[in-house]
Amino acid sequence: MDCWVLFVIKKCTYVQKKTMENKYPLGLIGPDPIDNRQYQLCEVQTETVELPEEFDLRPKMTPVGHQIYGSCWSWGATAIKEYLDSQENGKEINLSEKFVYYNGKKISGLYSEEGDYIISALKALCNFGAPLLEDYP
């Protein structure tokens, strides 16, 4: 069984070794940090599932906001949290991406770099949560 995420990681690693010396392709900071608590989907869901040709979550998501360069990782993780909380509570919520950005940088220590790892944002959400956007704009 193929793991799409694993394939992408292997492809990026190959590109790094083949074409880059001290820089990483496509604006990547570097290889993702190893965290033994992470799983590939194919490790936890071994059976094949039939997927629809199209699946659109946009009607269930909060509106797209104005991202500053290098903050997509915090916006993406916050959008996932907003979606899950909205589904659980039955009403739309809008969380502070800036709060997740700040605490994600605190976790990774990459203050001088544009961008960060998605895992930093997910850890920030798990460790600190996220206030509403109106409370932490």
Side-chain angles (χ1 to χ4, degrees):
M1 181 185 304
D2 291 335
C3 275
W4 182 79
V5 175
L6 189 59
F7 169 75
V8 171
I9 291 170
K10 285 182 179 177
K11 184 177 178 184
C12 288
T13 302
Y14 171 76
V15 172
Q16 289 169 7
K17 289 179 183 175
K18 184 107 176 152
T19 63
M20 308 303 275
E21 294 175 12
N22 294 326
K23 295 186 177 182
Y24 296 97
L26 307 173
L28 298 174
I29 298 169
D32 284 341
I34 296 172
D35 186 340
N36 293 328
R37 297 169 293 174
Q38 296 175 19
Y39 298 98
Q40 302 295 330
L41 179 60
C42 63
E43 294 172 357
V44 295
Q45 182 178 338
T46 54
E47 71 276 356
T48 303
V49 177
E50 194 67 34
L51 298 175
E53 282 191 37
E54 291 185 19
F55 189 77
D56 190 359
L57 287 175
R58 287 179 291 182
K60 299 177 181 181
M61 304 294 285
T62 53
V64 175
H66 179 68
Q67 300 179 31
I68 57 169
Y69 187 72
S71 65
C72 61
W73 55 278
S74 67
W75 282 78
T78 305
I80 293 168
K81 177 72 171 148
E82 289 171 347
Y83 170 75
L84 294 173
D85 285 355
S86 295
Q87 294 302 302
E88 185 177 323
N89 299 318
K91 63 180 182 175
E92 186 179 291
I93 61 167
N94 201 355
L95 300 174
S96 173
E97 293 83 7
K98 185 192 287 185
F99 183 87
V100 176
Y101 182 92
Y102 172 77
N103 286 295
K105 288 290 188 183
K106 199 157 71 168
I107 288 171
S108 70
L110 297 172
Y111 294 106
S112 62
E113 301 292 331
E114 289 187 24
D116 210 314
Y117 299 105
I118 190 74
I119 193 69
S120 299
L122 295 173
K123 286 179 180 180
L125 284 167
C126 288
N127 294 341
F128 305 107
L132 295 173
L133 183 61
E134 61 196 39
D135 296 330
Y136 196 97

